[in-house]
Amino acid sequence: MIYRSMLCEKGRGLKMAERVITKEAVERFKAYLHKEERSAGTVDNYLRNVRELAAWLVGQAVTKEQLVAWKDALQAKNLQPTTINAKLAAVGCFLRVMGWQDCQVRFLRVFANQTSPVMMSNAAFVYAKKHSKKVVMYCMDLWPACLAAGGIKETSPVYKFFGWESKRLYNKPDKILITSKMFRSYLVNQHGVESERISYLPQYAPEQFEETNFNPAPKDTIDLMFAGNVGSAQNLTVVLAAAEILRDEKCLRWHIVGDGSELENLKKEAAEKHLENVVFYGRKASSEMPRYYAHADAMLVTLMDDPFISLTLPGKVQTYMAAGKPIIASAVGETRLVIDEAKCGYCAKANDAQALADAVKKFMHSDNKVRLGKNARIYYEQHFSKRTFMDRLEKELQMN
């Protein structure tokens, strides 16, 4: 270990002298990567790049100026941008763990997190052009499809304007990462985006749901739970209609946890129909949700029967799977595709109360409930875990 008192003599102070990449610092970083459950390949790659920087520094302190010089040295070797970006990603992670973020240097890629509206990505393109960088866009909402789902007619001037603007922006990034597989056909057919520039990268679920109890304690009831936003797009009236059809199933309970624009209307409808088997909880803190999940035998997903909404995968699907819960859905499109692929539940046609009731009855009489939950968790670990997400994202950021 090298601690340079001469740095203090040059006026840089003890704080800068402590910023030396020691064996202990590397071990601390390694422990962090294991705690985050990064893949073995990622851990090896990150440690190798941090050690490479340490060798280049030859015991000198880590500074912003030194990292800029290191990046310049890498570029002088005519290394591929993918390789340099990978090294910067590894070192950037190390700096964050050590609390040395002020030393970070610019990546060779710009990451644009695109939700709504799509114009929010403009800043990324302006920055990328100014600094001659490539752009990776993470597409979480489709435009102008979001407008149609919100009730704006496709023939309206507003929709046409945003259609033109969306096409312009979606054709700017060098790479588009999509959260739903069905986004690909929309971007290709509606906006003329080249399919080769599109890759699938679904969102990950918060890790807190991984500790949810897979198997509730023995009880006399079958508890179905919806958790999340209670709005018009979620179409929870179909749940009340199915609950009414199955009101004679005395062991069946329907739990709705969440808040939104339709909550009061749903409460009123449930009261008018005397649906004593439906319980509303309102909004709960995220930290409390694993406890509610643990009580459920299966989780509910419902969506409007809408051609654009069907392209999306609700984030609740990932959290349900992280908790190892079977899923019963009233939806089409991406949601059905994922449930069928994972073999983790039953999916009825959207907005069809009788079909949803039939799916619930299949679940009630199934001897395969535990297997469905395990299938959900397996699919989560393969596709929706934070570790999987980060590993895939890093690879995408290393594009040519």
Side-chain angles (χ1 to χ4, degrees):
M1 291 185 291
I2 303 174
Y3 295 92
R4 291 195 175 3
S5 58
M6 63 179 178
L7 292 176
C8 298
E9 296 171 2
K10 293 182 179 180
R12 296 190 180 184
L14 181 60
K15 181 179 178 182
M16 189 61 70
E18 293 173 343
R19 291 188 172 186
V20 177
I21 303 178
T22 63
K23 181 179 179 180
E24 288 77 11
V26 175
E27 287 299 314
R28 175 181 167 186
F29 183 46
K30 181 179 180 180
Y32 167 83
L33 294 173
H34 284 305
K35 182 181 179 181
E36 289 292 301
E37 296 186 351
R38 298 297 184 94
S39 69
T42 297
V43 173
D44 290 343
N45 179 53
Y46 273 33
L47 295 178
R48 181 171 60 254
N49 285 308
V50 170
R51 288 172 178 139
E52 179 184 327
L53 172 62
W56 186 86
L57 287 169
V58 196
Q60 297 179 78
V62 176
T63 66
K64 177 96 171 182
E65 295 74 18
Q66 289 283 27
L67 286 175
V68 170
W70 182 58
K71 186 175 79 168
D72 290 343
L74 295 175
Q75 291 177 298
K77 293 180 179 179
N78 293 320
L79 296 177
Q80 289 291 324
T82 56
T83 302
I84 298 175
N85 223 49
K87 294 179 184 297
L88 294 177
V91 170
C93 185
F94 171 77
L95 295 175
R96 290 192 297 274
V97 171
M98 299 302 296
W100 303 344
Q101 298 95 319
D102 56 301
C103 293
Q104 283 188 268
V105 296
R106 293 188 181 121
F107 283 90
L108 302 183
R109 302 284 181 266
V110 176
F111 183 78
N113 195 53
Q114 183 255 307
T115 53
S116 290
V118 67
M119 293 80 70
M120 69 185 298
S121 60
N122 263 318
F125 298 127
V126 171
Y127 179 92
K129 183 177 181 179
K130 179 179 179 181
H131 297 283
S132 301
K133 309 294 184 184
K134 290 187 176 182
V135 177
V136 177
M137 174 189 280
Y138 191 39
C139 178
M140 302 174 71
D141 284 332
L142 281 181
W143 275 72
C146 288
L147 297 178
I152 297 178
K153 294 182 178 180
E154 295 180 56
T155 56
S156 70
V158 171
Y159 190 93
K160 290 180 178 179
F161 168 77
F162 281 106
W164 175 85
E165 182 68 1
S166 300
K167 183 172 185 176
R168 182 182 71 85
L169 291 172
Y170 282 128
N171 279 280
K172 274 182 168 290
D174 300 276
K175 190 83 173 182
I176 299 179
L177 307 178
I178 53 176
T179 55
S180 167
K181 292 179 181 178
M182 291 189 171
F183 280 14
R184 182 187 297 273
S185 60
Y186 181 89
L187 291 171
V188 171
N189 297 330
Q190 290 292 120
H191 297 311
V193 178
E194 296 174 0
S195 182
E196 295 76 17
R197 292 197 292 114
I198 303 172
S199 293
Y200 175 55
L201 183 67
Q203 300 178 69
Y204 63 86
E207 294 170 313
Q208 68 195 65
F209 293 97
E210 294 181 1
E211 303 305 320
T212 303
N213 181 19
F214 283 17
N215 305 309
K219 49 192 172 66
D220 297 328
T221 58
I222 292 180
D223 296 279
L224 308 180
M225 183 175 294
F226 173 92
N229 183 50
V230 183
S232 57
Q234 285 68 45
N235 194 34
L236 283 164
T237 54
V238 74
V239 170
L240 299 189
E244 186 175 19
I245 293 171
L246 298 175
R247 66 163 69 241
D248 292 333
E249 299 286 350
K250 301 303 181 183
C251 67
L252 188 60
R253 298 288 183 272
W254 307 74
H255 305 268
I256 299 177
V257 185
D259 195 4
S261 60
E262 291 298 308
L263 181 59
E264 294 306 316
N265 292 334
L266 292 167
K267 286 183 176 180
K268 182 179 179 182
E269 182 180 345
E272 290 173 349
K273 293 181 176 180
H274 305 288
L275 297 176
E276 297 178 0
N277 55 346
V278 179
V279 183
F280 295 92
Y281 296 84
R283 182 180 179 85
K284 298 297 178 183
S286 177
S287 59
E288 294 184 64
M289 292 310 298
R291 177 168 61 88
Y292 283 91
Y293 277 39
H295 182 70
D297 295 287
M299 306 298 290
L300 298 169
V301 178
T302 56
L303 290 172
M304 290 173 59
D305 189 7
D306 180 274
F308 297 114
I309 290 178
S310 69
L311 299 176
T312 65
L313 181 67
K316 61 173 59 65
V317 172
Q318 285 94 321
T319 60
Y320 291 173
M321 288 184 164
K325 294 295 179 178
I327 299 175
I328 302 173
S330 173
V332 293
E334 186 79 5
T335 300
R336 174 184 284 277
L337 187 154
V338 169
I339 292 173
D340 289 348
E341 190 174 277
K343 295 180 174 59
C344 67
Y346 303 93
C347 191
K349 183 180 178 182
N351 203 34
D352 188 331
Q354 184 61 59
L356 178 58
D358 292 343
V360 170
K361 289 179 73 173
K362 285 182 181 179
F363 175 76
M364 291 174 63
H365 300 295
S366 171
D367 296 325
N368 209 27
K369 297 183 182 69
V370 174
R371 181 70 261 172
L372 293 174
K374 289 182 177 179
N375 287 347
R377 180 54 183 260
I378 290 170
Y379 194 89
Y380 158 79
E381 291 174 350
Q382 292 175 343
H383 300 276
F384 299 145
S385 70
K386 182 178 180 181
R387 177 183 62 183
T388 301
F389 177 91
M390 292 301 181
D391 286 346
R392 290 181 181 175
L393 177 59
E394 285 160 6
K395 290 178 181 177
E396 294 294 347
L397 290 173
Q398 294 168 21
M399 66 176 182
N400 288 319

